[in-house]
Amino acid sequence: MKRETPTVRLLPAGEEIEVGTIYCLGRNYAAHAREMNAEVPGNTAVGKGEPIIFLKPPTAILREGKPIRYPSLTKSLHHELELVALLGGGPPGAPADVRVLGYGIGLDMTLRDVQERMKAKGLPWAVAKGFDGSAPVSDFVPAESIPDPVHLEMRLSVNGRLRQHGSTGDMIFTVDEIISYLSGIFTLRPGDLIFTGTPSGVGPVVPGDEIVGEISGIGRVSFRVE
Ligand code: MG
């Protein structure tokens, strides 16, 4: 049994922060919802509708330098490039309990075949989305260095070939809207992460592949699949 405490690193000081709950958005980019042949959560008569939320355990975190181990459960391991928000405590005296402390680059690794089987039966996605190492992340940059998180260019390539190219401006629910929504349901705590959804272009990887994710203003992260 592995007893390491999952942490992420916050730059520039390199502080190690223990990871709490990992909240993830499903179908937060319309083009990705369409490529999954799924209903876009939004455009309803009452506004944007409700976001689709699922969770990963802290043990899903995988730090750069470690490989993504191809799980034996699947024949279809997919990459999903996502902007990730790291939550910290609210400033003293402020009404909000939490704020965004930093932003990072995340990969919402997905067992697509397992997920499709569960979706068809209306069953939970926990195995398809929450397995060990299903949340590779970069180091986090301070939120103050990303004053406008809604206009960041996102690029993911596999073995040097561009697979995903989008903008955080295409999110249906913004980071602030997601936090506001989650706060009404869950007690958000410092160290929690929010994976904000993926643009279109998701696809499979196989052992030997090199995945590089880039988000403007944050940097670049790479992971090898083994
Ligand atoms: Mg995702």
Side-chain angles (χ1 to χ4, degrees):
M1 188 184 288
K2 216 166 49 172
R3 292 194 182 269
E4 260 172 49
T5 301
T7 59
V8 292
R9 184 184 292 134
L10 179 64
L11 302 173
E15 184 188 351
E16 293 287 338
I17 294 175
E18 187 173 343
V19 174
T21 303
I22 305 172
Y23 298 94
C24 305
L25 273 275
R27 302 177 206 160
N28 201 25
Y29 291 76
H32 170 63
R34 284 194 290 271
E35 77 179 346
M36 293 284 104
N37 295 314
E39 190 185 333
V40 178
N43 306 318
T44 68
V46 290
K48 290 189 177 187
E50 279 180 318
I52 298 167
I53 308 294
F54 59 93
L55 306 178
K56 291 178 188 265
T59 43
I61 288 295
L62 185 75
R63 295 274 294 269
E64 193 169 21
K66 293 202 173 150
I68 295 171
R69 303 243 181 241
Y70 198 99
S72 58
L73 287 166
T74 188
K75 292 186 167 54
S76 184
L77 175 65
H78 272 211
H79 57 76
E80 296 190 358
L81 173 67
E82 313 205 356
L83 174 70
V84 182
L86 166 65
L87 302 186
D97 292 333
V98 293
R99 66 194 162 102
V100 178
L101 196 60
Y103 288 103
I105 304 166
L107 302 177
D108 168 19
M109 299 305 293
T110 303
L111 312 181
R112 192 68 74 199
D113 46 356
V114 176
Q115 186 195 30
E116 293 300 333
R117 283 205 300 276
M118 296 301 126
K119 274 161 93 172
K121 296 179 192 166
L123 293 172
W125 301 357
V127 171
K129 290 286 198 178
F131 59 94
D132 278 3
S134 59
V137 288
S138 69
D139 289 345
F140 285 72
V141 300
E144 304 82 70
S145 68
I146 310 280
D148 190 8
V150 296
H151 292 104
L152 307 177
E153 186 182 3
M154 310 169 73
R155 300 167 68 92
L156 180 136
S157 63
V158 177
N159 304 328
R161 300 186 71 151
L162 189 63
R163 295 261 191 102
Q164 293 189 267
H165 189 194
S167 165
T168 57
D170 292 329
M171 281 188 205
I172 296 169
F173 297 95
T174 64
V175 174
D176 286 347
E177 288 170 336
I178 296 165
I179 291 173
S180 165
Y181 177 80
L182 290 175
S183 297
I185 303 164
F186 304 98
T187 300
L188 299 179
R189 303 178 71 206
D192 290 348
L193 299 178
I194 302 174
F195 275 64
T196 58
T198 195
S200 62
V202 302
V205 290
V206 295
D209 283 350
E210 187 81 24
I211 306 173
V212 174
E214 293 169 276
I215 299 181
S216 60
I218 301 175
R220 170 186 196 278
V221 71
S222 70
F223 287 93
R224 187 172 176 80
V225 184
E226 279 188 8

